[in-house]
Structure formats: structure tokens, C-alpha cells
Amino acid sequence: LGTVHSVKGAECDVCIVFPDLSLRGAQHYATRQGEQFEQILRQFYVAVTRTRDVLVLCQGITSGMYFNDYT
């Protein structure tokens, strides 16, 4: 059990990702451009790629944080 940063470089059989961000993070994500947006995507990439067998993507409650609009 750990955060994205604490397991960076390791793998887990099951990863559960909660996509919620702070208000400021959600504002950066909503722009869909810029360095802050890229950092958010990289963090989720790290979280997702730690999965060995099962990935659970939970629906966030932060406005605009939905996986179905990733490109």
C-alpha cells in the first residue's frame, strides 16, 4: 500500500488509482496544455504502469477528472 511516489519503480499485483486532484491541480488539468498538465499526465502514467495484474480506475469527484476523455 502506498502513494504513486512511494512505489515509483516498483510493481504491484493490484493497483487502485483515485484520480482526484486539488482545486489548483484540476484547473491545470482542465487547460489540457502546458507543463502542469503534462506533469499530471505523467503522474497518472506512473500510477497505471505500476500494475502487474489488476488495475482499478476509480471515478474521481473532482470536476473534469474523467478517464473517458483522455486522448
Side-chain angles (χ1 to χ4, degrees), residues 7-56:
V7 296
K8 191 172 182 179
E11 289 185 331
C12 300
D13 291 334
V14 177
C15 289
I16 302 171
V17 178
F18 293 91
D20 286 321
L21 297 172
S22 65
L23 178 58
R24 178 164 284 189
Q27 290 169 339
H28 288 298
Y29 179 81
T31 67
R32 302 290 198 265
Q33 61 186 358
E35 181 59 29
Q36 297 293 335
F37 174 71
E38 296 293 327
Q39 288 177 354
I40 292 167
L41 291 184
R42 283 192 294 273
Q43 185 172 3
F44 283 117
Y45 174 82
V46 169
V48 168
T49 59
R50 300 306 105 197
T51 304
R52 204 176 289 135
D53 294 317
V54 177
L55 172 65
V56 178

